[in-house]
């Protein structure tokens, strides 16, 4: 029985969505929770859209920031579930090979980088509702976040370009 293959176009969207969700989890878990450098609304009051201040050093401010951090995690969780569901629907066999595929992880890195670029431009620069690490060098941290996003996109693109197609049918079960 001849096997069929999927190419990058077949898993591009699911892998990018998975990467967006995983990148969001890294951001939320590492920067919001572990390092506590910022929360979703930690720069309100001095933002570019006029949202009232929710200072993280007050109980009501931390409660509002925690709520919005939680909503952010819901969105990233939904992105991961959506990416996984789409991958599952497109790959019916050889799933083990798919998880080891440079094609999948290359596109996931592209998604993570796109998360950094979009979230960084919108939340850090346009809205100004939070910054990667507030303080005197916050612009440098925000630009570094964008540069990391661009590097992840470039690395992911290079990884998926070197990957081979994944066969979805390894023969009879």
């Amino acid at each position: 029985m001849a096997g069929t293959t999927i190419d990058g176009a077949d898993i591009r969207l699911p892998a990018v969505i998975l990467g967006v969700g995983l990148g969001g989890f890294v951001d939320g878990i590492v920067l919001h929770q572990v390092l506590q450098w910022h929360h979703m609304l930690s720069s309100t009051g001095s933002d570019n859209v006029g949202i009232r201040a929710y200072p993280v050093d007050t109980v009501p401010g931390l409660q509002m920031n925690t709520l919005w951090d939680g909503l952010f995690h819901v969105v990233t969780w939904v992105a991961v579930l959506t990416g996984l569901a789409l991958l599952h629907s497109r790959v019916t066999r050889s799933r083990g090979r798919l998880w080891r595929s440079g094609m999948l992880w290359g596109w996931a890195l592209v998604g993570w980088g796109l998360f950094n670029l979009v979230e960084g431009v919108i939340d850090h620069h346009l809205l100004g509702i939070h910054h990667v690490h507030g303080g005197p060098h916050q612009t440098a941290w925000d630009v570094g976040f964008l540069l990391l996003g661009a590097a992840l996109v470039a690395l992911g693109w290079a990884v998926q370009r070197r990957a081979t197609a994944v066969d979805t049918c390894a023969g009879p079960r």
Side-chain angles (χ1 to χ4, degrees):
M1 172 183 225
T4 59
T5 61
I6 57 172
D7 60 18
D10 292 332
I11 64 167
R12 182 179 352 190
L13 179 64
V16 167
I17 292 171
L18 181 62
V20 166
L22 292 173
F25 273 139
V26 170
D27 178 276
I29 293 167
V30 175
L31 300 181
H32 296 214
Q33 295 174 323
V34 175
L35 296 175
Q36 297 181 25
W37 282 0
H38 70 262
H39 297 281
M40 285 304 296
L41 304 176
S42 58
S43 293
T44 55
S46 63
D47 59 82
N48 299 328
V49 290
I51 300 172
R52 68 171 263 217
Y54 293 104
V56 296
D57 58 352
T58 67
V59 172
L62 192 54
Q63 286 174 326
M64 185 61 77
N65 274 285
T66 302
L67 170 67
W68 279 93
D69 285 351
L71 294 172
F72 171 76
H73 279 107
V74 167
V75 171
T76 60
W77 182 66
V78 168
V80 167
L81 289 179
T82 301
L84 289 173
L86 288 170
L87 275 173
H88 185 271
S89 71
R90 293 181 185 193
V91 180
T92 57
R93 297 193 186 190
S94 296
R95 288 191 185 115
R97 287 200 54 211
L98 176 67
W99 290 112
R100 295 185 304 272
S101 166
M103 191 173 297
L104 171 66
W105 297 111
W107 283 116
L109 285 171
V110 169
W112 182 358
L114 289 174
F115 165 82
N116 279 22
L117 291 170
V118 171
E119 196 267 342
V121 167
I122 292 173
D123 290 344
H124 306 164
H125 296 281
L126 294 178
L127 299 178
I129 60 173
H130 70 256
H131 300 280
V132 173
H133 192 33
H137 305 291
Q138 73 185 20
T139 301
W141 283 101
D142 290 345
V143 170
F145 190 79
L146 294 175
L147 292 174
L148 174 61
L152 288 168
V153 168
L155 176 63
W157 183 261
V159 167
Q160 68 83 27
R161 294 272 299 163
R162 288 181 177 83
T164 58
V166 178
D167 55 320
T168 58
C169 180
R173 281 189 167 184

